[in-house]
Amino acid sequence: AIQLSPNDASVYKYRAFAKSDLKDYAAVIKDFDEVVRIDPNDAGAYKFRGNAKRNLENYEAAIRDYDE
């Protein structure tokens, strides 16, 4: 789906959710980085990326995402 629609934020979100279930939080952050690049007004992307950062104990970065 990403190859067919590389500028569709939803495909990155769904992949990030699957990676979150696998506890691959670094990959989750990368996918949500793409979501934010495509749609910087997507509040949920900041929230979920913040959650991944929190799970990696990167609390300051998580707070920045939550603040955004």
Side-chain angles (χ1 to χ4, degrees):
I2 290 172
Q3 289 179 0
L4 294 173
S5 299
N7 292 315
D8 181 351
S10 66
V11 294
Y12 291 97
K13 283 185 203 180
Y14 293 126
R15 185 171 73 175
F17 293 143
K19 289 179 178 180
S20 182
D21 289 341
L22 297 172
K23 297 182 179 7
D24 186 357
Y25 301 118
V28 170
I29 292 166
K30 287 180 183 179
D31 278 343
F32 278 113
D33 286 346
E34 285 301 308
V35 174
V36 168
R37 181 188 65 78
I38 295 165
D39 183 3
N41 295 316
D42 186 332
Y46 293 100
K47 173 188 155 189
F48 291 116
R49 186 173 69 178
N51 290 347
K53 290 176 180 179
R54 184 193 69 214
N55 287 326
L56 292 175
E57 298 181 0
N58 189 348
Y59 302 117
E60 290 181 15
I63 289 169
R64 284 192 299 272
D65 276 345
Y66 295 145
D67 285 344
E68 187 64 37

